[in-house]
Amino acid sequence: MPELPEVEIIKQNLSKKIKYKKIQEVIITNRNLRFKIPPKFDLLLKNKVIGKVTRFSKYLILNFSDKSFCLIHLGMSGTIHLIKKNNLNQFTNTSFYNSPILPIKHNHVEIKFKDLKIIYNDPRRFGFFKYIKNEKELLSKFSHLGPEPLSKKFNLKYLLKYFLSKKKNIKSFLIDQKFVSGIGNIYANEILFLSKINPNKYAMKLSKKDCRRIIFFSKVVLLNAIKKGGSSIRDFKSISGKRGSYQKEFNVYLRQDLNCIKKKCPGIIKKIFISNRSTFFCNVCQK
DNA sequence: AAGAGGCCCTGATAGC
DNA sequence: TGCTATCAGGGCCTCT
């Protein structure tokens, strides 16, 4: 669920809290993530100083002052929780993204600083933590990924060349990280709606105008989502804590059988499956 | 090589 | 009340 905007929000919040701080201790409470956390992972991180927190695509990166890194992916259900130490030297719970209640089940990693700690929780274990020795190794982790949708490399020339002879629907390409990295299922649906393109349309059949729209609306949707703090769905129990509000702006996602949001459009939002991912689109204005 | 399909994983929800 | 089935989807894998 965390796509580029959600990871960006986490990066921004996390950066404010842990920049320049020294890791005092790392506690692994559950090593089972997508990749098993290796035995000495905690010792590798101990005493490292956070230089800055950055992001590439859906990856979160802790940049240590000694030029090594910790690469974090939230998978589908990963959340990061911030616990502050109060004057009584006790940790009090505040959440940082998505859930305001500190989960205990499915906690995996705890990183302790002098005045606070962060906890990584991931019920479905699709996320991962990885220690990266140097920049070269970091870049190799991203070498198979396409350009970020917000970068200048995601341009008309790139799309036209990439789509040449691609006999596959455009929806699959938008969520294919090899083509463009950072867009997930939710935003892909929204981007295609605004671009007025049917998700089933073959990439090779897209016109120049279609490609221009995809580029433009990819940037519009993601920047807007970042501005709104990301999207929070399936988290209805939240009372406090930081939640995004972009889900209120969804035009098609989860709106199956409802009327198209466009005033003069008589269309109905349909739900179909494209390569096993739920896909929502207007049956009239997306051609 | 491109494309189709399956698998990993757990929690929420629907249906009987 | 309790069981089973289905869905959620990011990334990676295999097979054709």
Side-chain angles (χ1 to χ4, degrees):
Chain A
M1 197 172 65
E3 303 182 31
L4 189 152
E6 289 74 32
V7 181
E8 174 65 23
I9 295 301
I10 293 169
K11 183 209 85 179
Q12 289 174 10
N13 291 335
L14 197 55
S15 185
K16 280 182 216 161
K17 303 291 182 184
I18 65 171
K19 206 173 175 183
Y20 307 135
K21 287 184 180 171
K22 187 176 179 178
I23 295 174
Q24 295 202 320
E25 194 184 5
V26 176
I27 299 168
I28 315 292
T29 48
N30 185 344
R31 293 184 188 275
N32 296 320
L33 287 174
R34 174 138 53 101
F35 309 118
K36 199 156 191 153
I37 300 174
K40 291 189 175 172
F41 179 81
D42 54 334
L43 296 176
L44 286 168
L45 263 61
K46 193 176 178 174
N47 293 327
K48 300 275 184 192
V49 175
I50 311 281
K52 55 184 174 179
V53 183
T54 54
R55 175 194 62 74
F56 181 79
S57 181
K58 302 173 191 174
Y59 297 80
L60 195 62
I61 308 156
L62 305 182
N63 297 242
F64 300 129
S65 59
D66 66 355
K67 312 277 184 195
S68 64
F69 305 88
C70 180
L71 185 62
I72 301 168
H73 197 290
L74 304 173
M76 283 192 22
S77 56
T79 48
I80 292 177
H81 304 263
L82 182 78
I83 318 290
K84 284 179 186 168
K85 232 182 204 177
N86 64 21
N87 292 336
L88 299 168
N89 215 26
Q90 289 171 331
F91 285 112
T92 52
N93 171 25
T94 47
S95 169
F96 200 71
Y97 184 71
N98 255 355
S99 164
I101 300 151
L102 171 65
I104 294 169
K105 203 178 174 185
H106 306 305
N107 280 0
H108 287 81
V109 182
E110 200 168 302
I111 300 178
K112 284 185 174 176
F113 300 90
K114 194 177 177 186
D115 58 338
L116 57 91
K117 63 180 176 182
I118 57 174
I119 291 179
Y120 179 75
N121 180 279
D122 190 354
R124 291 164 79 176
R125 315 207 296 238
F126 284 169
F128 68 79
F129 272 64
K130 216 160 203 166
Y131 177 73
I132 306 286
K133 288 192 295 289
N134 51 44
E135 192 168 11
K136 194 184 167 192
E137 191 189 343
L138 183 70
L139 292 176
S140 78
K141 298 288 174 200
F142 301 143
S143 61
H144 64 292
L145 297 175
E148 287 204 293
L150 299 176
S151 81
K152 283 181 182 172
K153 288 179 188 169
F154 191 61
N155 56 38
L156 186 62
K157 196 180 161 190
Y158 174 72
L159 265 69
L160 291 175
K161 194 181 172 194
Y162 198 95
F163 289 157
L164 214 67
S165 76
K166 286 285 193 295
K167 286 188 182 178
K168 201 167 70 167
N169 62 78
I170 178 60
K171 166 78 190 306
S172 298
F173 283 111
L174 282 184
I175 58 174
D176 181 350
Q177 309 300 299
K178 286 196 295 294
F179 165 61
V180 59
S181 59
I183 298 174
N185 196 42
I186 294 171
Y187 294 116
N189 281 300
E190 297 298 319
I191 290 164
L192 286 176
F193 173 77
L194 294 173
S195 303
K196 297 181 180 174
I197 298 169
N198 188 296
N200 271 317
K201 192 168 180 178
Y202 269 10
M204 64 186 285
K205 301 260 183 185
L206 293 172
S207 66
K208 264 191 189 179
K209 197 176 177 181
D210 287 335
C211 291
R212 282 203 191 93
R213 282 178 176 159
I214 287 171
I215 295 160
F216 178 72
F217 286 112
S218 293
K219 296 175 201 290
V220 166
V221 166
L222 296 180
L223 287 173
N224 201 10
I226 292 169
K227 211 168 155 184
K228 304 278 174 175
S231 305
S232 305
I233 51 166
R234 277 179 263 285
D235 184 28
F236 304 116
K237 287 171 191 166
S238 289
I239 309 160
S240 57
K242 285 178 185 169
R243 298 184 73 218
S245 64
Y246 192 75
Q247 68 279 7
K248 291 172 190 162
E249 321 235 338
F250 288 165
N251 294 302
V252 288
Y253 190 73
L254 299 180
R255 291 195 69 252
Q256 66 268 33
D257 306 327
L258 298 175
N259 294 328
C260 177
I261 213 106
K262 285 184 184 153
K263 274 183 186 170
K264 288 181 183 173
C265 179
I268 303 288
I269 307 305
K270 297 288 176 189
K271 180 182 180 182
I272 58 170
F273 285 91
I274 294 181
S275 41
N276 271 330
R277 296 285 184 264
S278 55
T279 302
F280 303 85
F281 70 103
C282 171
N283 63 350
V284 173
C285 66
Q286 286 178 258
K287 301 198 187 299

